[in-house]
C-alpha cells in the first residue's frame, strides 16, 4: 500500500501528475465494438456522436485468433478519428492472458494521447490495479503524454467482490467500476446461463391464504446485492459505478428495467453491446425532465439547503436538498453535452415554477 503522502505522486519519472478528482464526464452508455470486425468498425464514425463513450474491446467476444487484428484495428481507428467530446476507452485482455502486456505497450505508445480510460477485466484485488498503474506511468512517460490515462475495473470475480473497496481506492487513476455479471456468475458458480438480467426462478412467493387459491410470485433482482455493494465502494472512494452488459439484445424492455434499477441505486451508466441498446441507456441514465424540475423546485424553495419546508405535502429538509442536488447536477452535466436534453429540462422546470 502506498503512503498517503505519496498517493498522488507519479509512479514513473516524467509521467503526468495523477488526477485528484475523477472528472465527471457523461458516460451513460459505454458502447462496445470489436475493432477487428470490419462491419462494426465501419459504423464507428456514425455511432461516435450518438454515444458518450466508445470502447474498443480487445477481450472476451474477440476470438483468440483475432486479438492482434483487434489491437491493430483500434490503433488505426484511434489514430485516424477525431471523436470530439465522445470519450475513447479500451478493454484490454485480462492480466493473466498472453495479450494484456502487448495491449498496453502498443496502445499507450501509439494512441495513448487519444485514450481516456483503460478498462481492466477480472480484477481480483488492489495488486492488479497497482500493476497496471505503474506500467501505465512508465508508458506515459516514454510516450511523453501530458494527461494520465484513467483505469476502470470490471467486478467479475468473487475475489474482486471481496476486495471491491480496496480496488476502488487502489490508485488515483481509478475512474470507476462496472459489474461483469456473466463472468461473475460463472466464477461464483451461479446456476444461470445468461449475461446479466433476471431469472424467473429467483423469486419470492406470496404466503398461502388458507384455501387453494393460486399464490402470486414476484421475481427478484439477482444483482441487487452486488450492484449495491459496488455503488457503496465507488461512492466511498469518489469514483463512478456502472451496470455492465445485458446480453438479451432483443429484450430491450427487460434491459431498460435492469439499467433503471442500477440508475436508481446510484450507477451513472451501462454498456451498450448493440446499437439498439444505445437509446435505452440514454433514456435511463438521463434523469427524467419531471424529476429535474422537481429537484430544481425543491432547491429553489430550500434556499441555503437547511431547515424544513413542506412542498406538495412532502417534507423537505437538508437531506432531500442533497438528493435533489445530485439529480440537478447530473442534469446540468448532461445538458451541457446535449442541447435537446437541456431544452426538455428547462421547459419542464419553467412549467413547474409557473404553476407556483
Ligand atoms: C460478457 C461480456 O464481456 S459483454 C462485452 C463483450 N461483448 C461484446 O462486445 C459484444 C458486442 N456486440 C456484438 O458482438 C454484436 O452486437 C452481436 C454478436 C451481439 C450481434 O451482432 P449481429 O448478429 O451482427 O447483430 P445485428 O445483425 O442485429 O447487427 C446489425 C448491424 O449492426 C452492427 N453491429 C452489431 N453490434 C454492433 C456494435 N456493438 N457496434 C457497432 N455495430 C454493431 C452489425 O455489424 C450489423 O451491421 P450490418 O447492418 O452492416 O450487417
Ligand atoms: O465482462 C463482462 C461480464 O459480464 O463478464
Ligand atoms: Mg467478463
Amino acid at each position: 500500500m502506498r503512503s498517503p503522502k505519496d498517493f498522488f505522486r507519479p509512479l514513473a519519472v516524467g509521467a503526468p501528475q495523477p488526477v485528484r478528482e475523477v472528472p465527471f464526464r457523461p458516460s451513460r452508455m459505454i458502447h462496445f465494438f470489436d475493432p477487428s470486425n470490419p462491419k462494426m468498425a465501419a459504423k464507428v464514425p456514425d455511432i461516435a456522436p450518438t454515444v458518450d463513450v466508445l470502447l474498443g474491446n480487445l477481450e472476451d467476444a474477440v476470438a483468440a485468433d483475432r486479438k492482434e487484428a483487434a489491437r491493430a484495428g483500434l490503433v488505426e481507428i484511434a489514430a485516424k478519428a477525431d471523436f470530439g467530446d465522445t470519450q475513447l476507452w479500451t478493454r484490454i485482455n485480462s492480466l493473466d492472458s498472453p495479450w494484456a502486456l502487448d495491449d498496453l505497450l502498443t496502445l499507450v505508445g501509439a494512441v495513448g494521447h487519444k485514450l481516456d480510460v483503460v478498462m481492466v477485466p477480472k480484477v481480483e484485488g488492489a495488486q492488479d490495479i497497482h500493476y497496471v498503474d505503474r506500467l501505465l506511468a512508465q508508458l506515459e512517460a516514454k510516450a511523453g503524454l501530458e494527461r494520465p490515462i484513467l483505469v476502470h475495473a470490471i467486478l467479475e470475480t468473487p475475489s474482486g467482490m471481496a476486495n471491491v473497496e480496496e480496488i476502488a481506492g487502489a490508485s488515483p487513476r481509478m475512474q470507476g467500476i462496472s459489474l461483469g455479471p456473466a463472468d461473475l456468475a460463472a466464477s461464483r458458480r451461479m446456476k444461470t446461463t445468461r449475461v446479466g438480467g433476471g431469472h424467473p426462478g429467483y423469486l419470492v412467493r406470496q404466503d398461502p391464504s388458507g384455501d387453494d387459491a393460486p399464490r402470486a410470485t414476484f421475481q427478484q433482482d439477482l444483482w441487487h446485492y452486488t450492484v449495491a455493494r459496488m455503488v457503496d465502494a465507488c461512492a466511498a472512494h469518489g469514483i463512478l459505478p456502472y451496470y455492465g452488459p445485458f446480453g438479451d439484445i432483443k429484450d430491450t424492455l427487460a434491459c431498460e428495467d435492469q439499467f433503471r434499477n442500477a440508475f436508481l441505486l446510484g450507477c451513472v451508466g451501462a454498456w451498450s453491446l448493440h446499437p439498439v441498446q444505445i437509446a435505452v441507456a440514454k433514456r435511463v441514465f438521463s434523469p427524467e425532465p419531471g424529476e429535474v424540475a422537481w429537484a430544481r423546485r425543491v432547491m429553489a424553495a430550500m434556499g441555503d439547503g437547511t431547515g424544513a419546508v413542506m412542498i406538495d405535502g412532502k417534507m423537505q429538509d437538508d437531506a432531500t436538498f442533497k438528493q435533489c442536488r445530485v439529480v440537478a447536477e447530473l442534469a446540468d452535466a448532461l445538458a451541457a453535452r446535449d442541447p435537446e436534453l437541456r431544452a426538455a429540462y428547462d421547459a419542464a422546470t419553467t412549467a413547474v415554477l409557473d404553476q407556483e
Side-chain angles (χ1 to χ4, degrees):
M1 193 58 197
R2 294 160 72 181
S3 145
K5 292 200 303 298
D6 295 334
F7 192 68
F8 289 106
R9 293 219 177 116
L11 287 178
V13 176
Q17 201 65 37
V19 294
R20 291 197 166 244
E21 296 283 341
V22 174
F24 183 82
R25 298 181 66 188
S27 45
R28 292 164 290 181
M29 69 301 285
I30 302 169
H31 184 74
F32 274 58
F33 72 97
D34 171 354
S36 78
N37 177 322
K39 277 192 187 172
M40 283 195 201
K43 291 196 165 45
V44 164
D46 288 340
I47 288 182
T50 70
V51 298
D52 294 332
V53 177
L54 258 182
L55 180 145
N57 178 34
L58 308 181
E59 200 226 9
D60 292 357
V62 176
D65 61 358
R66 304 291 299 159
K67 294 291 186 190
E68 295 190 1
R71 191 191 297 138
L74 181 56
V75 167
E76 195 186 324
I77 290 169
K80 270 206 283 203
D82 174 4
F83 298 116
D85 59 2
T86 297
Q87 299 180 60
L88 180 66
W89 295 18
T90 185
R91 177 168 82 168
I92 60 167
N93 284 287
S94 62
L95 300 180
D96 61 356
S97 77
W99 303 293
L101 183 60
D102 284 340
D103 291 344
L104 287 172
L105 293 179
T106 305
L107 288 169
V108 180
V111 289
H113 58 296
K114 294 270 184 90
L115 273 183
D116 293 291
V117 174
V118 168
M119 184 183 273
V120 183
K122 301 179 178 68
V123 171
E124 304 269 11
Q127 70 280 5
D128 289 341
I129 303 300
H130 294 160
Y131 170 80
V132 173
D133 196 8
R134 176 79 73 171
L135 188 52
L136 281 175
Q138 293 168 343
L139 295 171
E140 287 166 345
K142 190 169 171 214
L145 300 191
E146 288 174 0
R147 71 184 164 92
I149 296 169
L150 302 184
V151 169
H152 182 109
I154 311 181
L155 191 57
E156 51 184 352
T157 68
S159 310
M161 272 314 295
N163 297 323
V164 64
E165 285 87 7
E166 67 163 47
I167 292 169
S171 159
R173 284 186 201 276
M174 282 300 296
Q175 176 274 345
I177 300 182
S178 285
L179 169 70
D183 270 302
L184 187 55
S187 54
R188 270 179 177 165
R189 307 186 65 76
M190 289 167 66
K191 307 303 179 291
T192 54
T193 53
R194 304 169 171 214
V195 176
H199 192 289
Y202 194 73
L203 50 78
V204 291
R205 188 177 300 272
Q206 193 180 33
D207 281 357
S209 55
D211 51 25
D212 284 339
R215 292 155 62 190
T217 59
F218 306 92
Q219 200 173 315
Q220 306 291 293
D221 183 354
L222 270 175
W223 302 106
H224 176 80
Y225 154 78
T226 312
V227 172
R229 194 153 169 219
M230 176 182 75
V231 167
D232 281 344
C234 288
H237 288 279
I239 70 170
L240 304 172
Y242 299 78
Y243 180 81
F246 189 90
D248 193 343
I249 307 289
K250 296 275 180 249
D251 194 351
T252 49
L253 187 60
C255 175
E256 178 155 348
D257 293 337
Q258 184 76 69
F259 284 4
R260 186 162 290 106
N261 288 350
F263 173 68
L264 289 171
L265 277 179
C267 290
V268 298
W271 303 359
S272 53
L273 303 183
H274 185 281
V276 79
Q277 293 182 335
I278 295 172
V280 177
K282 184 170 178 179
R283 191 160 54 245
V284 170
F285 291 101
S286 310
E288 284 173 13
E291 278 291 292
V292 175
W294 167 259
R296 289 175 175 171
R297 181 177 164 207
V298 171
M299 289 173 73
M302 287 285 297
D304 72 353
T306 64
V309 296
M310 182 86 116
I311 302 180
D312 293 352
K314 298 181 181 66
M315 188 281 295
Q316 309 298 325
D317 69 0
D318 310 47
T320 57
F321 179 88
K322 288 175 195 154
Q323 290 178 62
C324 290
R325 192 167 57 196
V326 168
V327 172
E329 285 180 356
L330 175 59
D332 289 344
L334 298 177
R337 178 171 161 75
D338 188 334
E340 262 178 44
L341 213 46
R342 174 184 295 285
Y345 290 158
D346 290 349
T349 307
T350 306
V352 163
L353 294 180
D354 280 354
Q355 275 175 8
E356 298 232 305

